Amino acid sequence: MNTQVRKRIELPIEGMTCAACASRIEKNLNKLPGVEATVNFANEKAHVEFDESQISSRALINTIKKSGFHIAPQSVQLQLHDMTCAACATHIEKALNKLPGVSATVNVATETARVSFMPGITTKQLIDAVIGAGYGATEISESGRTEEKARKQAAYERELRLFWISALLTLPLVLQMGAMFSGHDMDMLPRWLQWLLATPVQFWIGRRFYVGAWHALRSGSANMDVLVALGTSMAYGFSTVVMLFSLDQHIYFEASAAIITLVLLGKLMEARAKGKTSEAIESLIKLQPKTARVERHGEVIELPVEQLQIDDIFLVRPGESIPVDGVVIEGTSNIDESLLTGESLPVGKQSGEKIFAATQNLQGFLKCRAVGIGASTQLANIIRLVEEAQGSKAPIQRMADTLSGIFVPIVVAISILTFVVTWWFANDFVTALIHAVAVLVIACPCALGLATPTAIMVATGRGAQAGILVKNAAALEHAEKIQTLIVDKTGTLTEGKPHVTDVLPASSVTADYLLQIAASLEQGSEHPLARAILDQAQSMSLPLMALQHFSSITGSGVTGQLDGRSYILGSPQFLRQHKLDPDMKSVSTLQAEGKTVIAVASIDSSDHRPLGYLAIADRLRDNSAVAISRLQSMGIEVVMLTGDNQATAATIARKTGIVDFRAEVLPQDKAAEVIAFKKKGKFTAMVGDGINDAPALAAADVSFAIGAGSDIAIEAADMTLLRNDLMSVADAISLSRLTLRKIRQNLFFAFVYNALGIPLAAAGMLNPVIAGAAMAMSSVSVVSNSLLLKRWQANQS
């Protein structure tokens, strides 16, 4: 049996200059057997899923290198254990360096190892290598992000220095061009001096374009570097020939130098703007404190957060940030979770309640037990989800990707055609050459390639800051199309914390006895209604009876034996199935108040009768009605699904302003209701929080999971809402609509820019220098427009 082992890795790529580069890498990777790859030009990363039985991560890296690009190495620092001498360090170094693509150095004094490795090798493999050598190791810190940021900053500063040198060399040439336009002698500078100024710009400053073009052409494709290198080389080469042979022609050294300088300026501005698209992620990373106060061996010590372990006891003073996810074991306080969830109001915490890394303790001293550390904290999960979403592609991007892949060859063909036609009709070689150069340098595939991913990056980051986690770019795109939103009542419209409001025992039955029987039947159940009954019994100190022969009938109730007698608990209709008549007058009165009624009965042969009824209510969230009104004002039809009876459902619907609802829907039928709306041609979304909502969430076109809900529901959903209210759904749809508007604006600009710019250049209406400046600014304009998404605020339709 051939079992495929699928693996997913993320590869940071250096050297991409435009969307055509990303398209080329993606195409080359997808040619490999068992590989599915997407390359994001905006964040310069490749997301690859591959079959390890068919191909190795090393082969993926080599394919990227053969395409003319580089993979940035990652690094990690390991704390080593059980070392006794320098020979141990040598042994560990050898064990680590045997792994492919790994370079490790061990410091015997600090008992640490700094390891540099290529993507595809995991930290676990490094630790396993140390363990295999007979020692122990744990990860101290993941410094990959910091080093990548430092590397990018160093590269930016290097490019900035080259730009200023290029600008200084180009300035005299451009001033001469300005003088020429004002009617002065066109050769104010000697031609040899112009050549001397232009040559270092062309071949030293502009070397990156030649290298990029060579790598692209060698792998059978073309990118923006080809256009710049070809266009500037034509102008520079022609001018050099004119100078060497003293021909009576104008020279264009200023054009070639100015184009390279302007393109460099554009790339610098683009890099600065692209860096701002990931500011949200960086701000999330900075939230977690660096150290924690931990109880160890009876004393409190301060440790780096990375050294905390599960079940460590840590202390948080007023005003401090919480270092890791934990559970409060002593103390009470209010916690500011706004930076993590977008919820502005502080959240009260007491013993037994969970707290999250990077949130702030406002007042009160807390003693906590660590339950989530490192990559297992909610903050780390948020960062991971946002990065995965930023690395995904929206369906709207496919057309731009397709065009980017063939864009450069088309432009080169148009340039050649422009040269031939202009020379034929104008009978002027120089004019034809300049028109052809203008066509080459004005065309910009970068704007097309950046139009979608930059908007997605800013939107997903901004959404995370507001407590909206988007699983992928497709979900963000689809949310704009929602026509019908189906909401589950419990935990979505309501707080999901039902409590017993009424206990109505039958004659000759006490309220305590009725509640004791009900709680005993429900013991062990995690259903919200069962928990409400058990909590009520516990608050009254009622002991639970031994339960035997328990049976659960989904959507109806439960049966079981207590002290040898048979009992049932469930909906009033469940009594009829056992030939008992419920007191419908009492039941209807309670249901009309929006309460859920639970019937309890004895079905023993010696005692066959109803024992009474429990009324349970789940309070509506404070802003549910406002959220429903906002969604409806956005043109979205809201439908409520609930397992409650018709009367209770009608009451909840009336209070929230919902017109359409479905009552007495069994958990297994929720997905069928979603599918039914989809069959009507409605683009349907679902929001829920429970395990039984997962099938319905999966069936919807777009799905939302309330963040306090079950892990299964969150896994099945397209978006996770960390704020536990429906207003977040409206916020997510609002963000989606604004994002898609920005993407369409970007694509429109990119298409129109090229559709107008290329013909104007071909017609000789654009000077090559102006064309180069326009090309340099086009991608900057697209990124800048995407950055306007940072202004989006929650609670805005």
Side-chain angles (χ1 to χ4, degrees):
M1 181 178 176
N2 182 25
T3 303
Q4 286 192 345
V5 181
R6 303 293 291 179
K7 184 177 180 180
R8 296 177 64 186
I9 61 173
E10 185 181 86
L11 301 174
I13 301 173
E14 292 182 334
M16 291 194 295
T17 56
C18 67
C21 300
S23 180
R24 181 167 86 251
I25 297 170
E26 191 173 293
K27 184 178 179 182
N28 290 341
L29 285 172
N30 286 321
K31 285 179 182 178
L32 300 173
V35 173
E36 293 180 14
T38 58
V39 179
N40 188 316
F41 173 51
N43 66 8
E44 299 180 338
K45 290 179 181 178
H47 298 264
V48 188
E49 183 175 332
F50 63 101
D51 181 4
E52 283 189 299
S53 65
Q54 296 186 50
I55 198 162
S56 66
S57 57
R58 172 60 54 185
L60 300 174
I61 293 170
N62 288 338
T63 298
I64 293 173
K65 286 183 176 179
K66 287 178 181 177
S67 299
F69 302 91
H70 303 285
I71 299 294
Q74 297 176 328
S75 64
V76 67
Q77 194 171 13
L78 300 178
Q79 181 67 56
L80 303 173
H81 309 292
D82 306 323
M83 285 179 57
T84 56
C85 64
C88 299
T90 303
H91 192 187
I92 293 172
E93 271 189 11
K94 287 181 179 179
L96 288 169
N97 288 326
K98 281 181 182 178
L99 295 173
V102 171
S103 174
T105 55
V106 175
N107 186 321
V108 69
T110 58
E111 296 188 354
T112 58
R114 179 166 292 277
V115 189
S116 175
F117 57 98
M118 297 303 290
I121 295 289
T122 64
T123 305
K124 184 179 183 302
Q125 287 175 282
L126 299 174
I127 292 174
D128 287 345
V130 176
I131 293 172
Y135 305 91
T138 53
E139 182 180 353
I140 294 178
S141 64
E142 181 58 63
S143 57
R145 281 195 187 92
T146 305
E147 292 191 0
E148 183 178 356
K149 185 176 181 181
R151 186 174 60 252
K152 286 186 175 180
Q153 182 62 30
Y156 178 84
E157 291 173 358
R158 184 173 62 252
E159 292 293 321
L160 185 61
R161 285 194 297 271
L162 289 175
F163 163 73
W164 284 118
I165 294 170
S166 182
L168 287 173
L169 293 171
T170 304
L171 185 61
L173 299 172
V174 173
L175 289 176
Q176 175 181 266
M177 184 177 69
M180 179 192 72
F181 284 132
S182 63
H184 292 78
D185 184 0
M186 65 170 55
D187 279 337
M188 291 175 60
L189 296 176
R191 289 185 172 184
W192 65 266
L193 181 57
Q194 294 183 47
W195 174 84
L196 202 61
L197 291 170
T199 299
V201 175
Q202 186 70 36
F203 298 109
W204 174 41
I205 309 294
R207 179 178 179 275
R208 55 173 288 176
F209 300 113
Y210 287 102
V211 172
W214 165 248
H215 287 312
L217 294 172
R218 191 179 62 175
S219 60
S221 62
N223 60 6
M224 186 205 74
D225 293 324
V226 173
L227 297 179
V228 176
L230 188 58
T232 57
S233 294
M234 287 166 63
Y236 176 87
F238 171 77
S239 301
T240 302
V241 170
V242 170
M243 181 197 70
L244 290 174
F245 294 97
S246 302
L247 301 178
D248 187 19
Q249 295 285 352
H250 178 61
I251 55 176
Y252 293 94
F253 287 123
E254 79 284 351
S256 63
I259 288 168
I260 288 174
T261 303
L262 289 168
V263 171
L264 276 179
L265 174 62
K267 285 296 174 186
L268 287 167
M269 294 174 67
E270 181 185 316
R272 175 62 63 89
K274 283 199 298 184
K276 292 181 180 179
T277 63
S278 58
E279 281 182 352
I281 279 283
E282 291 177 6
S283 67
L284 288 172
I285 293 169
K286 291 175 183 176
L287 290 178
Q288 189 173 27
K290 302 297 182 186
T291 60
R293 300 173 70 245
V294 184
E295 281 190 359
R296 289 273 175 92
H297 310 299
E299 60 178 352
V300 177
I301 59 175
E302 192 163 302
L303 289 177
V305 169
E306 294 86 356
Q307 294 185 21
L308 259 70
Q309 300 174 2
I310 296 294
D311 292 331
D312 269 348
I313 304 301
F314 63 92
L315 310 175
V316 187
R317 292 174 293 196
E320 290 183 339
S321 292
I322 294 164
V324 294
D325 288 0
V327 173
V328 178
I329 55 177
E330 283 184 25
T332 60
S333 184
N334 287 324
I335 304 295
D336 180 4
E337 298 182 347
S338 60
L339 292 175
L340 207 61
T341 67
E343 178 59 63
S344 57
L345 296 177
V347 181
K349 300 288 182 179
Q350 57 186 359
S351 180
E353 293 191 306
K354 194 167 183 181
I355 56 175
F356 302 102
T359 56
Q360 188 174 27
N361 181 23
L362 297 180
Q363 75 242 12
F365 183 85
L366 295 177
K367 188 175 184 179
C368 313
R369 178 172 56 85
V371 297
I373 60 174
S376 300
T377 64
Q378 179 159 313
L379 175 65
N381 287 331
I382 289 172
I383 292 169
R384 177 181 56 80
L385 282 170
V386 174
E387 287 184 330
E388 287 181 358
Q390 291 182 340
S392 63
K393 286 190 177 182
I396 196 172
Q397 191 178 342
R398 290 172 187 158
M399 181 176 62
D401 285 347
T402 302
L403 186 56
S404 294
I406 60 173
F407 184 86
V408 173
I410 290 174
V411 171
V412 172
I414 293 173
S415 176
I416 294 171
L417 183 63
T418 299
F419 176 77
V420 172
V421 171
T422 306
W423 193 5
W424 178 269
F425 286 101
N427 198 25
D428 188 337
F429 173 83
V430 176
T431 301
L433 181 70
I434 295 307
H435 290 187
V437 170
V439 169
L440 288 172
V441 298
I442 197 169
C444 185
C446 300
L448 284 171
L450 291 168
T452 301
T454 51
I456 294 294
M457 287 180 71
V458 178
T460 51
R462 188 67 193 90
Q465 291 174 324
I468 302 166
L469 302 183
V470 182
K471 183 174 287 186
N472 52 54
L476 193 64
E477 178 178 338
H478 292 156
E480 181 215 29
K481 306 173 186 176
I482 294 172
Q483 297 170 298
T484 299
L485 178 67
I486 298 175
V487 299
D488 181 58
K489 187 206 78 172
T490 304
T492 304
L493 290 172
T494 63
E495 292 181 341
K497 298 177 181 177
H499 59 280
V500 176
T501 58
D502 303 89
V503 181
L504 303 179
S507 58
S508 73
V509 178
T510 66
D512 284 3
Y513 179 71
L514 174 62
L515 195 57
Q516 184 184 31
I517 294 295
S520 298
L521 288 170
E522 292 281 33
Q523 62 184 294
S525 173
E526 289 299 322
H527 191 282
L529 299 183
R531 292 308 312 166
I533 295 171
L534 287 163
D535 289 345
Q536 183 69 19
Q538 185 178 10
S539 69
M540 297 173 66
S541 302
L542 297 175
L544 300 181
M545 302 163 68
L547 176 63
Q548 296 178 318
H549 304 297
F550 175 82
S551 177
S552 175
I553 297 89
T554 304
S556 297
V558 300
T559 65
Q561 284 190 354
L562 302 169
D563 286 346
R565 293 190 173 188
S566 298
Y567 297 90
I568 62 170
L569 177 148
S571 65
Q573 289 76 13
F574 192 41
L575 267 63
R576 290 199 173 97
Q577 297 177 24
H578 292 81
K579 300 179 180 178
L580 291 170
D581 292 324
D583 180 2
M584 291 310 298
K585 182 178 180 181
S586 299
V587 169
S588 298
T589 300
L590 293 169
Q591 289 176 343
E593 297 172 4
K595 298 174 181 178
T596 300
V597 179
I598 301 295
V600 184
S602 170
I603 56 171
D604 199 71
S605 57
S606 61
D607 188 20
H608 195 80
R609 62 180 178 131
L611 298 180
Y613 306 91
L614 303 176
I616 299 175
D618 188 4
R619 198 169 75 90
L620 279 174
R621 295 187 187 276
D622 293 336
N623 62 356
S624 286
V626 176
I628 296 297
S629 175
R630 182 182 169 198
L631 287 163
Q632 291 169 339
S633 70
M634 295 168 73
I636 296 169
E637 175 192 19
V638 182
V639 179
M640 180 182 74
L641 295 186
T642 178
D644 286 334
N645 61 82
Q646 191 75 16
T648 301
T651 301
I652 298 295
R654 185 178 66 253
K655 289 181 178 179
T656 55
I658 293 174
V659 177
D660 194 0
F661 62 90
R662 304 285 189 274
E664 299 178 6
V665 178
L666 298 177
Q668 61 267 31
D669 294 334
K670 290 180 180 180
E673 292 287 347
V674 172
I675 292 169
F677 275 96
K678 289 173 66 176
K679 286 182 177 178
K680 294 177 183 177
K682 300 286 186 70
F683 200 87
T684 305
M686 169 77 185
V687 56
D689 74 324
I691 292 174
N692 58 20
D693 294 329
L697 292 170
D701 293 310
V702 182
S703 50
F704 302 89
I706 296 294
S710 73
D711 290 341
I712 295 175
I714 292 171
E715 185 65 29
D718 296 311
M719 296 191 190
T720 299
L721 311 173
L722 299 181
R723 295 206 324 267
N724 296 322
D725 62 65
L726 268 181
M727 196 64 79
S728 289
V729 179
D731 288 338
I733 296 171
S734 165
L735 178 61
S736 169
R737 290 180 175 181
L738 182 60
T739 303
L740 267 293
R741 189 153 64 241
K742 287 297 176 191
I743 289 173
R744 292 189 182 104
Q745 288 172 0
N746 288 347
L747 289 172
F748 176 79
F749 171 79
F751 280 118
V752 169
Y753 164 81
N754 284 291
L756 291 178
I758 293 173
L760 289 174
M765 300 175 69
L766 289 177
N767 179 281
V769 176
I770 303 300
M775 187 269 277
M777 294 301 106
S778 62
S779 55
V780 177
S781 301
V782 165
V783 179
S784 299
N785 190 43
S786 294
L787 287 172
L788 294 177
L789 282 166
K790 294 173 73 174
R791 297 181 181 178
W792 175 85
Q793 297 292 329
N795 299 320
Q796 292 183 355
S797 55

